[in-house]
Amino acid sequence: MSASLDSTLTDKIFRAGDEIIRIVILSFLCTIMSLPIVTAPAAFTASFASLHHHFTEPRRGYVQPYFSVFRRSFGSVTVRGLLLMGAAVLFAVTGAYYLGVPDPGRVRIAGAVIQLLAGVGTLAVMIQFIDGASRYWLSHDVGDPPSLVAAARTALGSPWASLVAVAAVIAVPALMYWLALWQFVLLTVGIQIYAAVRILRRAAAGTRDADVGADSWPEP
């Protein structure tokens, strides 16, 4: 009994360590590959694909799928990804500006709320677009290519998963700033991606609408 518990605990510790290493590597890869901003959409798409590949086929490598998807998705996701990122940032900055004005009044507060909600919606579509693109290129172009319309429909069709993914993406850097965890700032991107993929996979496990080659999603 004791030996079995020790073995289970050891397995969990090694698994947690493996996942932490994976987050560190993905954070490093995604950050480096995103340095020229124009490559950011492909870098995030490749990161999503790498995690999907890991969760579906855990015994296989995940760095090679990263660079494979990065190269093949670059031309497809760059323009649309940059448009979504720019729109999300613009909505967020505008909303924050309205709220930061002294005595903004009801009209500006309403405008700020609308801008922030639009930013959240844009971020939800962006996450679904990157996720759909990562699964498309990971499956070697099987099915329809990713589109913004399809991403918006997916976000509307799975509103709770989309909102929770957005909340995770926003909460990770907010918590690091609040807790002053500056020593882990380079892990922010990896944690955001890992959390978003986990959330979307759990939603897909319930609907069975997002297979990337396996008969079914493995349990997260």
Side-chain angles (χ1 to χ4, degrees):
M1 181 78 175
S2 178
S4 176
L5 288 175
D6 289 342
S7 176
T8 302
L9 180 60
T10 301
D11 289 342
K12 289 183 177 180
I13 292 174
F14 276 106
R15 181 184 296 179
D18 181 65
E19 299 301 284
I20 292 172
I21 293 173
R22 196 173 310 280
I23 290 173
V24 172
I25 293 175
L26 281 181
S27 291
F28 175 78
L29 284 175
C30 193
T31 301
I32 294 299
M33 300 301 286
S34 297
L35 285 180
I37 299 300
V38 71
T39 62
F44 279 93
T45 300
S47 299
F48 271 62
S50 180
L51 282 177
H52 279 308
H53 184 271
H54 163 63
F55 291 136
T56 305
E57 301 180 77
R59 290 185 176 83
R60 299 190 179 182
Y62 53 91
V63 175
Q64 187 276 332
Y66 181 95
F67 288 105
S68 175
V69 171
F70 181 89
R71 288 193 301 270
R72 291 186 292 117
S73 68
F74 181 81
S76 173
V77 303
T78 298
V79 174
R80 288 172 292 179
L82 289 174
L83 287 174
L84 288 171
M85 289 180 180
V89 171
L90 180 62
F91 285 132
V93 170
T94 305
Y97 170 77
Y98 283 154
L99 289 177
V101 174
D103 192 19
R106 293 182 179 180
V107 175
R108 287 195 174 183
I109 290 176
V113 171
I114 292 172
Q115 293 283 342
L116 293 175
L117 289 176
V120 169
T122 303
L123 187 55
V125 174
M126 184 177 72
I127 291 172
Q128 292 291 355
F129 174 70
I130 290 175
D131 185 65
S134 71
R135 290 187 279 106
Y136 174 77
W137 293 106
L138 188 62
S139 62
H140 303 289
D141 316 348
V142 173
D144 296 326
S147 69
L148 296 184
V149 173
R153 287 175 177 170
T154 303
L156 290 173
S158 304
W160 289 113
S162 299
L163 289 175
V164 172
V166 169
V169 168
I170 295 174
V172 170
L175 282 173
M176 286 193 172
Y177 176 80
W178 184 52
L179 297 174
L181 299 175
W182 306 113
Q183 65 271 35
F184 300 114
V185 68
L186 292 179
L187 301 182
T188 301
V189 174
I191 296 172
Q192 288 175 304
I193 295 171
Y194 189 91
V197 171
R198 280 284 197 179
I199 292 165
L200 295 179
R201 286 182 65 84
R202 184 173 291 277
T207 60
R208 305 299 180 187
D209 285 338
D211 195 2
V212 294
D215 292 334
S216 61
W217 287 110
E219 289 297 324

